Amino acid sequence: RLFGQEEQQASQSLARRGLASADSGAAGAAFSGLAGNKNERLAKVQTDIRPARPADLPGIQALVTKCGLYDALVSYDDYTPPVYVAVADGAVVGFLHGLLGKPVSVIVDCAVHPDYEHRGIVRKLATAFETTMLAQGLTTWVSVVANSRPRMQRVVEQWGAVPRAEARSYAKKVTA
């Protein structure tokens, strides 16, 4: 099943931590409704963090493209949980995709729509991921952030992550 089966429990956990309302509603819109007087409108917008749902996929796909994360070798049609989304006005405006494991978990992708940057959304997404990790007894994550994304590198360091080494990211599409 797309995105996982423990959505309600995770949503309630995030609500207890103040990251989302108890009923965040569905949000599959891909930026529709983000136009208008941006500064005035954004000042009033509530942003909730919650586990992604299948209906969020178009919004996540749009963010991947909008934020320059698209890789032609990757199919963005399905995600292994956990995936967290930031939802504002019924639209997915941010997401974080991670993989849980030992000895380390991995933050695979994280992005926020440019109109919603500098609002603490990335930090809230990371907190949701770390909450899930800690609940499963996991204590360390890694992330490879491209040199072409210096702002994201600074954000990851602000979370307390320490650069480990210069690295090159590789991708390969496996076919039968």
Side-chain angles (χ1 to χ4, degrees), residues 69-154:
L69 300 177
Y70 179 80
D71 183 327
L73 291 177
V74 178
S75 170
Y76 296 95
D77 296 332
D78 198 0
Y79 286 80
T80 301
V83 179
Y84 293 98
V85 292
V87 178
D89 282 345
V92 173
V93 299
F95 84 102
L96 182 146
H97 176 219
L99 299 174
L100 300 173
K102 290 184 179 180
V104 296
S105 295
V106 179
I107 294 178
V108 179
D109 275 328
C110 183
V112 172
H113 189 281
D115 290 349
Y116 287 81
E117 291 178 345
H118 309 292
R119 299 186 62 192
I121 292 172
V122 173
R123 181 67 210 148
K124 290 177 184 178
L125 290 165
T127 298
F129 181 67
E130 290 176 349
T131 299
T132 301
M133 285 180 55
L134 291 172
Q136 296 186 27
L138 306 171
T139 59
T140 306
W141 59 259
V142 299
S143 186
V144 177
V145 181
N147 287 333
S148 62
R149 299 183 70 201
R151 288 179 45 213
M152 188 62 194
Q153 290 174 342
R154 285 191 298 277

Side-chain angles (χ1 to χ4, degrees), residues 4 21 29 31 45 56 64 75 95 98 111 133 169:
S21 62
F31 313 129
V45 173
D56 297 325
V64 165
S75 170
F95 84 102
M133 285 180 55
S169 177

